[in-house]
Amino acid sequence: MADAIGAVSLVGHRPSIVRITVKNELKTQKSQSIVRFPVKVDYSAKGVLSHLMMQSVKKNRMSVFPIRALAMELTKEKKKDDRLPKTWNYLDSGADDKPSLWPPENKADKPSLHNPLLRQERMGCGWLGAIFEWEGVLIEDNPDLDNQSWLTLAQEEGKSPPPAFMLRRVEGMKNEQAISEVLCWSRDPVQVRRMAKRKEEIFKALHGGVYRLRDGSQEFVNVLMNNKIPMALVSTRPRETLENAVGSIGIRKFFSVIVASEDVYRGKPDPEMFIYAAQLLDFIPERCIVFGNSNQTIEAAHDGRMKCVAVASKHPIYELGAAELVVRRLDELSIIDLKKLADTDLTEFEPELEMEKEDERELPSSAVAVDDF
C-alpha cells in the first residue's frame, strides 16, 4: 500500500477554509481538494486527517444502524453550562439574567442602600411594619351603631330598609362604595357624596364622640414603639373624625401613618388601604402585618400579600381561622410572634416532603380467607 504525504495550507485569510494536498508516490498526478471545517478546528495535518477518518467511520456506522443513528440525532441536546459566573452574587439570584439558585431572592433587600447594616436589618425577620384597624382592634366597637345609621339614612331618603345580610356585606366598605355598589340607592356622584356625608353625621350623633381603648391595646402599642416598629392606622372613617378620635385618646404619637377614607377609592375587601399604608411606611407587603377583626380584613390582607392577626372582638375565634394568628387581646402577642410571621423566607421556600412508599412485599396468604388474585 502506498504511503501518503499530507500537506496543509491556509487559503487566503479565512481560517475556516483548509486546503489539503495529497501526493501519491505511485502516481505523478496530484489531486487537490478544498474541505470546509468549523471555525474551531485543529489546523495540523494530524488533526485534519483524524477528523476525516472519524467522519468516514461515523458515516459507515450510521449506514449500518439507521434507527439507532436517528434516535441519537433526535435525543441530542445542547449541553448547558450550569457553572456560576465569576461575578455571581446571591443578592441578584432572582434576576432574569442570573441563574435561579439558592438562596432565593429576598424582596426586602434594597441595593440602593449603601449601608450594609441597614441592608442586613431589612433582610432579617426583625424588619416589619404593623398596620392597625381602628374600630374593634384598638378601641371598643359597637357594630349596631353602623346598622342603625344605615336604617336611619334609608328612612330619611325614602328607601326600603336594607336586610341584615346586606348590612353584613357593607361592613368595612366606604360609604360611597356601599351606597352605589351594594345598596344601589344612587349612581349620581353628587347624591352619593351627600348621602355618605349624612350617614357619617348620623353615626357621630349616635356614637357621642366617646372612645375607649380595648384591654391590652395600650400595652401592645407601647411594646411595638419600644422596639422601633413603625405603625400605621387604617380606617374608612373621615380623616377629621379619625384625627380627633386619636388625639382624644392620646395615642397619636404612636402612628407615623394614618390612612382615612379620603386617601383611597375603595374599602374592604379591596386591599387598597393596606397597600397604600405599606407604601407610606416604605415597607414591602410581605413584611407587613395587618391587625383586624373580620374576615373582610383577612381577605384584603391576603390579597395584598400580607400576614393578618385577627382580634376576636365581634366574631368568635372559630370564624377567623383564615388568619395566621387569632387572639382575644393584643397583649397576648409578643415580638417573637411577629418576627416569626415576618420571616417569609422559611415559609415560602420550605421543601416539599416526599410521600412514604408503601411496602410492596407480598403478604402471606391466609388459610381462612380466599385470596382475590
Side-chain angles (χ1 to χ4, degrees), residues 36-57:
R36 294 183 178 272
F37 294 94
V39 176
K40 295 183 179 180
V41 65
D42 189 2
Y43 293 104
S44 62
K46 184 178 180 180
V48 173
L49 292 177
S50 62
H51 180 75
L52 291 175
M53 293 177 63
M54 290 178 60
Q55 292 291 336
S56 62
V57 172

Side-chain angles (χ1 to χ4, degrees), residues 9 16 27 36 43 69 94 118 120 126 157 229 237-238 253 266 301 311 319:
S9 62
S16 61
K27 296 181 180 180
R36 294 183 178 272
Y43 293 104
L118 291 179
Q120 183 180 8
E157 298 293 331
I229 296 179
R237 300 295 175 192
K253 60 181 180 180
R266 301 176 63 83
V311 180
E319 289 186 2

Side-chain angles (χ1 to χ4, degrees), residues 91-209:
L91 296 179
D92 301 329
S93 59
D96 296 334
D97 56 343
K98 300 291 182 180
S100 179
L101 299 173
W102 191 268
E105 178 188 9
N106 195 321
K107 298 180 180 179
D109 186 25
K110 193 174 183 180
S112 60
L113 294 176
H114 300 289
N115 190 340
L117 296 179
L118 291 179
R119 292 184 65 180
Q120 183 180 8
E121 181 183 359
R122 288 171 63 96
M123 293 173 63
C125 61
W127 187 71
L128 59 96
I131 301 176
F132 289 90
E133 282 192 321
W134 175 238
E135 297 169 335
V137 178
L138 293 176
I139 64 171
E140 295 290 347
D141 180 28
N142 187 3
D144 295 334
L145 296 181
D146 257 330
N147 298 340
Q148 294 176 11
S149 302
W150 286 116
L151 295 175
T152 304
L153 180 63
Q155 185 177 4
E156 290 182 358
E157 298 293 331
K159 309 290 184 181
S160 58
F165 76 91
M166 195 169 292
L167 293 178
R168 286 194 299 268
R169 185 179 174 186
V170 299
E171 289 181 2
M173 289 186 178
K174 288 186 61 175
N175 295 334
E176 294 84 354
Q177 181 183 357
I179 292 172
S180 60
E181 298 182 8
V182 180
L183 301 176
C184 299
W185 285 351
S186 177
R187 293 297 178 90
D188 185 9
V190 177
Q191 296 297 325
V192 169
R193 285 194 295 268
R194 181 186 62 81
M195 286 188 283
K197 184 178 179 180
R198 177 56 184 163
K199 188 263 178 184
E200 284 299 324
E201 293 175 355
I202 297 173
F203 177 81
K204 289 176 63 176
L206 294 176
H207 188 274

Side-chain angles (χ1 to χ4, degrees), residues 131 234 259 264 270-285 288 290 300-301 303-306:
I131 301 176
V234 171
V259 178
V264 294
D270 194 285
E272 182 183 358
M273 294 189 304
F274 304 121
I275 293 177
Y276 183 57
Q279 292 176 355
L280 295 179
L281 289 175
D282 195 19
F283 274 74
I284 60 174
C288 291
V290 177
D303 289 345
R305 307 186 307 278
M306 303 179 185

Side-chain angles (χ1 to χ4, degrees), residues 7 58 86 100 110 125 130 134 163 249 256-257 326-327 368:
K58 183 177 179 183
K86 296 181 179 179
S100 179
K110 193 174 183 180
C125 61
W134 175 238
I249 298 179
S256 56
V257 172
V326 182
V327 295
V368 178

